[in-house]
Amino acid sequence: MRQRGIRIVDSIAELLPLVDVVLLESVDGTPHLEQASPVILAGKPLYIDKPVAGSLADAIAIYDLAREHQVPCFSSSALRFGPRSFAIGNRTRPRK
C-alpha cells in the first residue's frame, strides 16, 4: 500500500486531518460510538458499515451527535449491492 502512496496511520485522530470523509469498516459494532465520535466532532461526513453500533443506545447516540453537529452520517450494508443480493431480488416467485 505504501508503495502506491497510501498512508497508513495508527489512529482515527491521526487520520482526520488527512481525509475529507471517513468510512468506518470495523467488523464489530461495539466500538463504533467511540470511533465515530471524533469523526463527527471533526465535522467529517461518516459512513458506518453494518452494524451501526453494538447497541440501540449507541446507535441513537451516534445519530444524535451527528445531528447536533450537522454532520452527514449513514449506515448500511455494502453487501446489499453485491451480485448475489441483486440475484435474490430478481428471482421470480412461484405462482399459486
Side-chain angles (χ1 to χ4, degrees):
M1 294 272 216
R2 287 190 173 109
Q3 297 88 337
R4 296 181 179 215
I6 298 170
R7 287 187 59 186
I8 307 295
V9 297
D10 294 322
S11 69
I12 291 174
E14 194 176 346
L15 173 72
L16 290 173
L18 305 174
V19 299
D20 297 320
V21 176
V22 173
L23 283 72
L24 191 55
E25 298 287 339
S26 306
V27 176
D28 180 7
T30 305
H32 283 176
L33 175 57
E34 179 184 343
Q35 295 168 336
S37 294
V39 176
I40 294 167
L41 294 174
K44 305 288 183 170
L46 175 63
Y47 166 78
I48 305 173
D49 196 12
K50 63 146 179 62
V52 67
S55 69
L56 177 59
D58 282 1
I60 292 169
I62 288 169
Y63 287 113
D64 283 349
L65 188 63
R67 187 178 306 109
E68 178 184 337
H69 292 276
Q70 299 181 343
V71 173
C73 174
F74 78 102
S75 178
S76 71
S77 170
L79 297 177
R80 70 183 280 197
F81 299 107
R84 289 186 177 179
S85 296
F86 279 113
I88 291 169
N90 291 332
R91 289 186 184 158
T92 58
R93 298 175 192 247
R95 296 181 187 192
K96 292 184 179 183

